[in-house]
Amino acid sequence: MKKKNLWMLAAILTCGLMLDSCAKEDAPAVAPVPSDMQQNTNKFETDVPAISGDAKVIAALKQIPGVTDIKCFEHESEDTMYYFNFEQDIDHRNPALGKFKQQVVLLYKGKDHNNVLYTEGYALAGDPEVNYNRLDSLELPAIVDMYETNYVGVEHRYHGWSLPQGFTNDFTYLSTWQQSTDLHCIVTALKASGLFAGKWVSTGVSKCGETTAYYAYHYPNEMDAYVPYCGPYLTSLADPRVGDFVLEPTSIKADIEKVKTAYSYALNNKPLMDQLLSLLVKEYGERAGKTREDQTASLVSTLIGNLFSKESLVHISLWRDWIPTEKSSAEEFMKFLMADENTKYKNESQQEIAARHRMKMRDMDLQTTFGQFSRRAAPIAKYGNRFKPYNVQKCIDLGDYVYSYAWFEDLLGTEKVKMLKDATIESPDNYGVTYDNGKFVKEFLEGMKTTPCKILFVFGGSDPWTGAAISDDIVSANANISKLIVFEGVHTDVTTHWNKEDIQTLKKFLDPYLKKQ
């Protein structure tokens, strides 16, 4: 999940912060599906070479009702991965509507291994730095490597090739319950196949973590345990808790206080501001705003948005030394201001870079890709404009957040702050859907007080999404659930920067389910 669109803010500022004069564009019409996609496209036309795989595994998969299109290939981990489609009901409440195919991947080490279900919140896709159409580069969850488990990854309905209503902008059957029921059907079928004797743990990061938690809520105890990472539980379309956390993160408060001090100094130092605004206009052009007042608001919005990016996706050790002081030059202030998840930082490990690429991938149009096994596959934007399914689902039952401008509200004024916030709030009307006003998430949070599921909720101590974490009151009400806030942790399951105590907490929870006996 991503930061708010700063270019949209800049565009509003260019219009003098008058929303009425910046009328929203009409929703784009859905372009006709290209002729080559209308046919029964061979999704396996790919540079990923097929391998024979284990004949017994393939035979077992073929016996599972609903499993089609089996293909085997070698994952970059050198393990055999099996791809297949699973036929799902378009609407689980009305099977008569028919079926659609949902993409699934299975990395299979053997029947005697334990199992990890990754509840994908988007499309199945490979590392974008390699080729997102190549599932042999699909990044595995950290706990799969940690415990050498089997792995099942399920594409989220309405993403990638898993399209209940085809290439349309109709999202009638998109909800947490429908996707949870997809998972229920697949898990039930796999467990009955005879391929799996070990225990099961479900996990996911970000929206994938939400998907894990909501699956536990809708179908309790289908897994032996659940570890959702970094999932925000938002109760409105303008939940303030994420934005508040940007300004007061749990474990890097001292660092963020230095940021506040530095930019408060800059905003009240006219010669320095003159230089900064000049650099901002050079970077954004007219999108920075027409007046000094608007350009200042654009600078503040950029600071908050890119601070969100750094806190969520880049470990503090990589940008702590970039925080300016009163002695810093305008160029140094600008360097920190513009640094985000795309910036090249020194001393990054390959694992950290891979984790950032994975999260970055989810925020791109890749979440609306057609199939992963076609050379003709491409972001759907190439053909017209299908809405991003995540943006739609926020306006159905997931909710969304707004930034906080508390640091600079006196400087900007109440009216401008309201305009900046309103500019980033998604409207269900844009997608022809109805928001449930937080009803589902509130029911979920209440349900966590009594759930029989063993759940470890993991959050990052610097990650803004932690602002919408499971509350301590809920955790204290139910001995089955626990919460880990990783010291200086970011929006990932990669443990590169975790301290020993946090790693031990994770392993203590997982060992009974995933450690081989």
Side-chain angles (χ1 to χ4, degrees):
M1 294 188 284
K2 62 182 179 179
K3 65 184 178 184
K4 295 291 185 177
N5 190 338
L6 300 177
W7 293 116
M8 180 165 59
L9 298 179
I12 288 170
L13 290 168
T14 303
C15 294
L17 283 166
M18 294 299 292
L19 293 180
D20 291 341
S21 65
C22 292
K24 294 179 180 178
E25 297 180 4
D26 292 335
V30 179
V33 179
S35 59
D36 67 341
M37 300 300 294
Q38 290 173 347
Q39 301 166 7
N40 184 20
T41 304
N42 178 9
K43 299 178 190 177
F44 309 122
E45 183 185 351
T46 173
D47 292 333
V48 179
I51 61 175
S52 58
D54 187 315
K56 291 182 179 179
V57 175
I58 295 172
L61 289 173
K62 286 182 176 179
Q63 293 301 310
I64 299 174
V67 169
T68 65
D69 309 320
I70 300 169
K71 176 185 173 69
C72 306
F73 57 92
E74 184 178 354
H75 186 260
E76 63 183 10
S77 65
E78 299 184 356
D79 291 301
T80 299
M81 185 167 274
Y82 301 83
Y83 167 97
F84 59 90
N85 281 308
F86 189 87
E87 293 182 341
Q88 294 278 16
D89 289 334
I90 292 172
D91 179 5
H92 290 291
R93 291 188 171 93
N94 183 12
L97 283 180
K99 305 282 189 180
F100 75 98
K101 290 183 176 182
Q102 188 167 36
Q103 292 196 125
V104 183
V105 287
L106 164 65
L107 188 148
Y108 192 71
K109 294 177 180 289
K111 184 174 181 177
D112 59 331
H113 287 254
N114 293 312
N115 312 290
V116 168
L117 170 69
Y118 194 87
T119 55
E120 184 60 64
Y122 301 95
L124 287 171
D127 183 344
E129 294 299 304
V130 178
N131 181 337
Y132 61 82
N133 286 324
R134 294 187 58 147
L135 291 188
D136 57 343
S137 68
L138 185 148
E139 187 177 1
L140 300 175
I143 62 175
V144 169
D145 294 330
M146 189 181 296
Y147 288 97
E148 297 186 355
T149 68
N150 296 321
Y151 156 80
V152 177
V154 180
E155 184 165 78
H156 200 291
R157 61 167 48 211
Y158 287 94
H159 293 263
W161 274 99
S162 302
L163 304 173
Q165 294 173 277
F167 303 104
T168 71
N169 265 334
D170 193 339
F171 294 84
T172 305
Y173 311 108
L174 177 59
S175 70
T176 62
W177 181 82
Q178 293 280 4
Q179 176 63 15
S180 294
T181 306
D182 291 342
L183 295 169
H184 162 72
C185 293
I186 290 170
V187 168
T188 300
L190 290 178
K191 285 184 175 181
S193 70
L195 288 170
F196 308 94
K199 294 183 178 180
W200 286 81
V201 171
S202 178
T203 192
V205 180
S206 191
K207 182 173 181 279
C208 312
E210 289 179 84
T211 306
T212 286
Y214 297 149
Y215 170 49
Y217 172 73
H218 288 300
Y219 291 93
N221 282 346
E222 287 202 343
M223 299 281 106
D224 295 287
Y226 306 79
V227 185
Y229 292 82
C230 311
Y233 304 99
L234 304 163
T235 55
S236 76
L237 287 175
D239 196 314
R241 295 172 296 161
V242 173
D244 290 342
F245 197 91
V246 173
L247 306 186
E248 293 189 12
T250 301
S251 55
I252 57 170
K253 285 184 179 179
D255 298 290
I256 301 308
E257 189 62 30
K258 290 178 182 178
V259 175
K260 176 184 177 182
T261 298
Y263 283 91
S264 294
Y265 166 78
L267 288 162
N268 288 286
N269 184 314
K270 187 176 183 305
L272 177 57
M273 272 299 287
D274 288 344
Q275 296 178 67
L276 273 175
L277 294 180
S278 176
L279 291 170
L280 189 74
V281 170
K282 184 178 180 181
E283 181 72 27
Y284 283 169
E286 290 186 358
R287 289 172 292 189
K290 294 181 178 180
T291 68
R292 183 184 183 88
E293 185 180 44
D294 292 344
Q295 290 167 7
T296 299
S298 185
L299 186 148
V300 168
S301 295
T302 302
L303 172 65
I304 299 300
N306 285 343
L307 186 57
F308 176 100
S309 262
K310 290 189 281 287
E311 290 177 348
S312 58
L313 292 174
V314 188
H315 193 267
I316 182 63
S317 63
L318 299 173
W319 53 272
R320 177 175 278 136
D321 292 341
W322 290 34
I323 299 173
T325 69
E326 294 181 6
K327 295 181 180 180
S328 297
S329 66
E331 288 73 19
E332 289 170 321
F333 271 91
M334 192 66 180
K335 176 184 176 182
F336 181 86
L337 180 79
M338 299 305 298
D340 62 8
E341 78 275 13
N342 300 312
T343 301
K344 300 295 184 182
Y345 297 90
K346 295 180 181 179
N347 303 320
E348 276 191 285
S349 70
Q350 289 302 309
Q351 194 176 24
E352 287 175 297
I353 293 171
R356 285 172 60 198
H357 285 164
R358 179 176 181 173
M359 299 313 302
K360 177 182 175 183
M361 173 194 73
R362 301 189 187 288
D363 294 338
M364 298 169 66
D365 282 340
L366 305 186
Q367 60 182 272
T368 56
T369 51
F370 289 116
Q372 279 73 43
F373 281 110
S374 169
R375 287 195 183 100
R376 290 174 292 224
I380 199 165
K382 175 180 177 181
Y383 299 121
N385 240 330
R386 180 168 174 262
F387 298 138
K388 290 184 180 180
Y390 170 53
N391 288 352
V392 178
Q393 194 171 5
K394 287 190 295 187
C395 294
I396 295 174
D397 58 9
L398 292 184
D400 203 4
Y401 72 98
V402 290
Y403 288 140
S404 170
Y405 295 91
W407 283 355
F408 308 115
E409 188 157 352
D410 289 344
L411 175 71
L412 298 176
T414 302
E415 182 179 349
K416 284 191 176 179
V417 167
K418 184 179 185 303
M419 291 291 187
L420 290 171
K421 288 183 175 180
D422 288 349
T424 60
I425 297 175
E426 294 274 12
S427 171
D429 292 342
N430 290 343
Y431 307 113
V433 297
T434 301
Y435 180 54
D436 69 356
N437 292 317
K439 179 178 181 291
F440 166 70
V441 175
K442 291 173 184 176
E443 289 174 350
F444 160 78
L445 294 171
E446 187 64 26
M448 288 299 97
K449 294 178 180 178
T450 56
T451 182
C453 301
K454 303 293 185 182
I455 307 177
L456 173 64
F457 290 93
V458 181
F459 302 94
S462 77
D463 179 17
W465 296 104
T466 301
I470 293 289
S471 70
D472 291 340
D473 289 345
I474 292 175
V475 174
S476 62
N478 188 349
N480 289 320
I481 65 174
S482 52
K483 179 169 72 172
L484 169 63
I485 297 183
V486 177
F487 179 72
E488 296 185 348
V490 294
H491 199 69
T492 179
D493 61 347
V494 175
T495 59
T496 303
H497 287 289
W498 287 31
N499 61 36
K500 291 181 180 179
E501 291 78 11
D502 291 337
I503 291 176
Q504 287 173 354
T505 298
L506 177 65
K507 288 187 173 181
K508 182 178 179 180
F509 178 83
L510 285 173
D511 280 355
Y513 311 107
L514 295 183
K515 189 175 182 179
K516 289 192 70 174
Q517 303 302 316

PDB file of all heavy atoms in Angstrom, residues 244-265:
ATOM      1  N   ASP A 244      -1.504  10.507  11.743  1.00  0.00           N
ATOM      2  CA  ASP A 244      -0.970  10.919  13.043  1.00  0.00           C
ATOM      3  C   ASP A 244       0.334  10.180  13.360  1.00  0.00           C
ATOM      4  O   ASP A 244       1.275  10.756  13.926  1.00  0.00           O
ATOM      5  CB  ASP A 244      -1.990  10.651  14.151  1.00  0.00           C
ATOM      6  CG  ASP A 244      -3.198  11.577  14.076  1.00  0.00           C
ATOM      7  OD1 ASP A 244      -3.104  12.619  13.403  1.00  0.00           O
ATOM      8  OD2 ASP A 244      -4.238  11.247  14.683  1.00  0.00           O
ATOM      9  N   PHE A 245       0.395   8.894  12.994  1.00  0.00           N
ATOM     10  CA  PHE A 245       1.566   8.076  13.297  1.00  0.00           C
ATOM     11  C   PHE A 245       2.787   8.548  12.516  1.00  0.00           C
ATOM     12  O   PHE A 245       3.932   8.408  12.985  1.00  0.00           O
ATOM     13  CB  PHE A 245       1.276   6.605  12.986  1.00  0.00           C
ATOM     14  CG  PHE A 245       2.241   5.638  13.628  1.00  0.00           C
ATOM     15  CD1 PHE A 245       1.989   5.104  14.882  1.00  0.00           C
ATOM     16  CD2 PHE A 245       3.400   5.252  12.968  1.00  0.00           C
ATOM     17  CE1 PHE A 245       2.876   4.209  15.468  1.00  0.00           C
ATOM     18  CE2 PHE A 245       4.289   4.360  13.541  1.00  0.00           C
ATOM     19  CZ  PHE A 245       4.026   3.836  14.795  1.00  0.00           C
ATOM     20  N   VAL A 246       2.574   9.104  11.324  1.00  0.00           N
ATOM     21  CA  VAL A 246       3.695   9.644  10.540  1.00  0.00           C
ATOM     22  C   VAL A 246       4.470  10.661  11.367  1.00  0.00           C
ATOM     23  O   VAL A 246       5.698  10.712  11.341  1.00  0.00           O
ATOM     24  CB  VAL A 246       3.199  10.296   9.233  1.00  0.00           C
ATOM     25  CG1 VAL A 246       4.348  11.003   8.509  1.00  0.00           C
ATOM     26  CG2 VAL A 246       2.565   9.249   8.325  1.00  0.00           C
ATOM     27  N   LEU A 247       3.736  11.464  12.128  1.00  0.00           N
ATOM     28  CA  LEU A 247       4.370  12.525  12.911  1.00  0.00           C
ATOM     29  C   LEU A 247       4.856  12.042  14.269  1.00  0.00           C
ATOM     30  O   LEU A 247       5.680  12.709  14.895  1.00  0.00           O
ATOM     31  CB  LEU A 247       3.377  13.682  13.106  1.00  0.00           C
ATOM     32  CG  LEU A 247       2.740  14.255  11.835  1.00  0.00           C
ATOM     33  CD1 LEU A 247       1.898  15.471  12.176  1.00  0.00           C
ATOM     34  CD2 LEU A 247       3.787  14.607  10.794  1.00  0.00           C
ATOM     35  N   GLU A 248       4.364  10.895  14.730  1.00  0.00           N
ATOM     36  CA  GLU A 248       4.783  10.368  16.028  1.00  0.00           C
ATOM     37  C   GLU A 248       4.940   8.852  15.982  1.00  0.00           C
ATOM     38  O   GLU A 248       4.206   8.115  16.633  1.00  0.00           O
ATOM     39  CB  GLU A 248       3.774  10.758  17.119  1.00  0.00           C
ATOM     40  CG  GLU A 248       3.723  12.245  17.398  1.00  0.00           C
ATOM     41  CD  GLU A 248       2.881  12.565  18.624  1.00  0.00           C
ATOM     42  OE1 GLU A 248       2.540  11.639  19.376  1.00  0.00           O
ATOM     43  OE2 GLU A 248       2.546  13.746  18.806  1.00  0.00           O
ATOM     44  N   PRO A 249       5.909   8.356  15.199  1.00  0.00           N
ATOM     45  CA  PRO A 249       6.113   6.906  15.119  1.00  0.00           C
ATOM     46  C   PRO A 249       6.662   6.354  16.425  1.00  0.00           C
ATOM     47  O   PRO A 249       7.423   7.013  17.128  1.00  0.00           O
ATOM     48  CB  PRO A 249       7.129   6.754  13.981  1.00  0.00           C
ATOM     49  CG  PRO A 249       7.848   8.055  13.953  1.00  0.00           C
ATOM     50  CD  PRO A 249       6.852   9.100  14.361  1.00  0.00           C
ATOM     51  N   THR A 250       6.294   5.126  16.736  1.00  0.00           N
ATOM     52  CA  THR A 250       6.586   4.534  18.041  1.00  0.00           C
ATOM     53  C   THR A 250       8.061   4.540  18.395  1.00  0.00           C
ATOM     54  O   THR A 250       8.451   4.969  19.483  1.00  0.00           O
ATOM     55  CB  THR A 250       6.056   3.083  18.086  1.00  0.00           C
ATOM     56  OG1 THR A 250       4.658   3.107  17.856  1.00  0.00           O
ATOM     57  CG2 THR A 250       6.338   2.450  19.442  1.00  0.00           C
ATOM     58  N   SER A 251       8.914   4.048  17.474  1.00  0.00           N
ATOM     59  CA  SER A 251      10.305   3.804  17.871  1.00  0.00           C
ATOM     60  C   SER A 251      11.339   4.717  17.236  1.00  0.00           C
ATOM     61  O   SER A 251      12.538   4.501  17.403  1.00  0.00           O
ATOM     62  CB  SER A 251      10.668   2.336  17.607  1.00  0.00           C
ATOM     63  OG  SER A 251      10.430   1.977  16.267  1.00  0.00           O
ATOM     64  N   ILE A 252      10.903   5.757  16.503  1.00  0.00           N
ATOM     65  CA  ILE A 252      11.892   6.717  15.974  1.00  0.00           C
ATOM     66  C   ILE A 252      11.433   8.152  16.263  1.00  0.00           C
ATOM     67  O   ILE A 252      11.650   9.064  15.470  1.00  0.00           O
ATOM     68  CB  ILE A 252      12.142   6.514  14.460  1.00  0.00           C
ATOM     69  CG1 ILE A 252      10.840   6.627  13.648  1.00  0.00           C
ATOM     70  CG2 ILE A 252      12.816   5.170  14.187  1.00  0.00           C
ATOM     71  CD1 ILE A 252      11.089   6.674  12.147  1.00  0.00           C
ATOM     72  N   LYS A 253      10.813   8.334  17.416  1.00  0.00           N
ATOM     73  CA  LYS A 253      10.277   9.651  17.762  1.00  0.00           C
ATOM     74  C   LYS A 253      11.361  10.725  17.785  1.00  0.00           C
ATOM     75  O   LYS A 253      11.151  11.855  17.332  1.00  0.00           O
ATOM     76  CB  LYS A 253       9.581   9.582  19.117  1.00  0.00           C
ATOM     77  CG  LYS A 253       8.232   8.892  19.095  1.00  0.00           C
ATOM     78  CD  LYS A 253       7.556   8.939  20.453  1.00  0.00           C
ATOM     79  CE  LYS A 253       6.196   8.273  20.429  1.00  0.00           C
ATOM     80  NZ  LYS A 253       5.527   8.292  21.752  1.00  0.00           N
ATOM     81  N   ALA A 254      12.535  10.398  18.326  1.00  0.00           N
ATOM     82  CA  ALA A 254      13.609  11.388  18.431  1.00  0.00           C
ATOM     83  C   ALA A 254      14.047  11.852  17.047  1.00  0.00           C
ATOM     84  O   ALA A 254      14.328  13.048  16.835  1.00  0.00           O
ATOM     85  CB  ALA A 254      14.794  10.804  19.206  1.00  0.00           C
ATOM     86  N   ASP A 255      14.110  10.921  16.093  1.00  0.00           N
ATOM     87  CA  ASP A 255      14.503  11.282  14.729  1.00  0.00           C
ATOM     88  C   ASP A 255      13.469  12.192  14.076  1.00  0.00           C
ATOM     89  O   ASP A 255      13.808  13.179  13.418  1.00  0.00           O
ATOM     90  CB  ASP A 255      14.679  10.016  13.885  1.00  0.00           C
ATOM     91  CG  ASP A 255      15.772   9.115  14.422  1.00  0.00           C
ATOM     92  OD1 ASP A 255      16.947   9.479  14.332  1.00  0.00           O
ATOM     93  OD2 ASP A 255      15.439   8.038  14.953  1.00  0.00           O
ATOM     94  N   ILE A 256      12.199  11.858  14.261  1.00  0.00           N
ATOM     95  CA  ILE A 256      11.142  12.650  13.633  1.00  0.00           C
ATOM     96  C   ILE A 256      11.031  14.024  14.292  1.00  0.00           C
ATOM     97  O   ILE A 256      10.682  15.012  13.636  1.00  0.00           O
ATOM     98  CB  ILE A 256       9.807  11.887  13.677  1.00  0.00           C
ATOM     99  CG1 ILE A 256       9.952  10.547  12.951  1.00  0.00           C
ATOM    100  CG2 ILE A 256       8.698  12.701  13.040  1.00  0.00           C
ATOM    101  CD1 ILE A 256      10.528  10.646  11.552  1.00  0.00           C
ATOM    102  N   GLU A 257      11.349  14.110  15.564  1.00  0.00           N
ATOM    103  CA  GLU A 257      11.374  15.416  16.230  1.00  0.00           C
ATOM    104  C   GLU A 257      12.443  16.306  15.599  1.00  0.00           C
ATOM    105  O   GLU A 257      12.247  17.524  15.450  1.00  0.00           O
ATOM    106  CB  GLU A 257      11.632  15.243  17.726  1.00  0.00           C
ATOM    107  CG  GLU A 257      11.462  16.506  18.543  1.00  0.00           C
ATOM    108  CD  GLU A 257      10.059  17.081  18.506  1.00  0.00           C
ATOM    109  OE1 GLU A 257       9.091  16.302  18.366  1.00  0.00           O
ATOM    110  OE2 GLU A 257       9.925  18.322  18.584  1.00  0.00           O
ATOM    111  N   LYS A 258      13.555  15.709  15.175  1.00  0.00           N
ATOM    112  CA  LYS A 258      14.609  16.473  14.493  1.00  0.00           C
ATOM    113  C   LYS A 258      14.118  16.968  13.136  1.00  0.00           C
ATOM    114  O   LYS A 258      14.464  18.077  12.711  1.00  0.00           O
ATOM    115  CB  LYS A 258      15.854  15.598  14.319  1.00  0.00           C
ATOM    116  CG  LYS A 258      16.579  15.284  15.616  1.00  0.00           C
ATOM    117  CD  LYS A 258      17.775  14.371  15.364  1.00  0.00           C
ATOM    118  CE  LYS A 258      18.478  14.004  16.674  1.00  0.00           C
ATOM    119  NZ  LYS A 258      19.618  13.074  16.451  1.00  0.00           N
ATOM    120  N   VAL A 259      13.318  16.146  12.455  1.00  0.00           N
ATOM    121  CA  VAL A 259      12.747  16.567  11.171  1.00  0.00           C
ATOM    122  C   VAL A 259      11.832  17.769  11.386  1.00  0.00           C
ATOM    123  O   VAL A 259      11.909  18.771  10.661  1.00  0.00           O
ATOM    124  CB  VAL A 259      11.961  15.412  10.513  1.00  0.00           C
ATOM    125  CG1 VAL A 259      11.255  15.901   9.239  1.00  0.00           C
ATOM    126  CG2 VAL A 259      12.884  14.237  10.193  1.00  0.00           C
ATOM    127  N   LYS A 260      10.987  17.665  12.391  1.00  0.00           N
ATOM    128  CA  LYS A 260      10.061  18.760  12.694  1.00  0.00           C
ATOM    129  C   LYS A 260      10.834  20.041  13.020  1.00  0.00           C
ATOM    130  O   LYS A 260      10.513  21.124  12.514  1.00  0.00           O
ATOM    131  CB  LYS A 260       9.170  18.385  13.866  1.00  0.00           C
ATOM    132  CG  LYS A 260       8.237  19.504  14.308  1.00  0.00           C
ATOM    133  CD  LYS A 260       7.433  19.102  15.536  1.00  0.00           C
ATOM    134  CE  LYS A 260       6.549  20.246  16.012  1.00  0.00           C
ATOM    135  NZ  LYS A 260       5.798  19.891  17.239  1.00  0.00           N
ATOM    136  N   THR A 261      11.856  19.918  13.848  1.00  0.00           N
ATOM    137  CA  THR A 261      12.652  21.088  14.239  1.00  0.00           C
ATOM    138  C   THR A 261      13.308  21.731  13.026  1.00  0.00           C
ATOM    139  O   THR A 261      13.287  22.960  12.858  1.00  0.00           O
ATOM    140  CB  THR A 261      13.729  20.673  15.257  1.00  0.00           C
ATOM    141  OG1 THR A 261      13.096  20.163  16.435  1.00  0.00           O
ATOM    142  CG2 THR A 261      14.617  21.857  15.633  1.00  0.00           C
ATOM    143  N   ALA A 262      13.870  20.890  12.149  1.00  0.00           N
ATOM    144  CA  ALA A 262      14.585  21.408  10.984  1.00  0.00           C
ATOM    145  C   ALA A 262      13.651  22.158  10.039  1.00  0.00           C
ATOM    146  O   ALA A 262      13.956  23.281   9.600  1.00  0.00           O
ATOM    147  CB  ALA A 262      15.280  20.267  10.255  1.00  0.00           C
ATOM    148  N   TYR A 263      12.503  21.576   9.740  1.00  0.00           N
ATOM    149  CA  TYR A 263      11.628  22.203   8.751  1.00  0.00           C
ATOM    150  C   TYR A 263      10.795  23.335   9.352  1.00  0.00           C
ATOM    151  O   TYR A 263      10.383  24.249   8.624  1.00  0.00           O
ATOM    152  CB  TYR A 263      10.770  21.144   8.058  1.00  0.00           C
ATOM    153  CG  TYR A 263      11.599  20.400   7.022  1.00  0.00           C
ATOM    154  CD1 TYR A 263      12.288  19.244   7.365  1.00  0.00           C
ATOM    155  CD2 TYR A 263      11.749  20.898   5.737  1.00  0.00           C
ATOM    156  CE1 TYR A 263      13.092  18.581   6.440  1.00  0.00           C
ATOM    157  CE2 TYR A 263      12.543  20.254   4.804  1.00  0.00           C
ATOM    158  CZ  TYR A 263      13.220  19.103   5.166  1.00  0.00           C
ATOM    159  OH  TYR A 263      14.025  18.463   4.253  1.00  0.00           O
ATOM    160  N   SER A 264      10.573  23.308  10.648  1.00  0.00           N
ATOM    161  CA  SER A 264       9.959  24.470  11.287  1.00  0.00           C
ATOM    162  C   SER A 264      10.901  25.666  11.191  1.00  0.00           C
ATOM    163  O   SER A 264      10.468  26.804  10.937  1.00  0.00           O
ATOM    164  CB  SER A 264       9.650  24.156  12.759  1.00  0.00           C
ATOM    165  OG  SER A 264       8.669  23.155  12.866  1.00  0.00           O
ATOM    166  N   TYR A 265      12.190  25.403  11.380  1.00  0.00           N
ATOM    167  CA  TYR A 265      13.196  26.457  11.223  1.00  0.00           C
ATOM    168  C   TYR A 265      13.197  26.970   9.786  1.00  0.00           C
ATOM    169  O   TYR A 265      13.163  28.189   9.546  1.00  0.00           O
ATOM    170  CB  TYR A 265      14.576  25.913  11.590  1.00  0.00           C
ATOM    171  CG  TYR A 265      15.718  26.790  11.156  1.00  0.00           C
ATOM    172  CD1 TYR A 265      16.058  27.940  11.878  1.00  0.00           C
ATOM    173  CD2 TYR A 265      16.455  26.480  10.012  1.00  0.00           C
ATOM    174  CE1 TYR A 265      17.110  28.758  11.470  1.00  0.00           C
ATOM    175  CE2 TYR A 265      17.498  27.289   9.598  1.00  0.00           C
ATOM    176  CZ  TYR A 265      17.827  28.439  10.322  1.00  0.00           C
ATOM    177  OH  TYR A 265      18.868  29.240   9.912  1.00  0.00           O
TER     178      TYR A 265
END
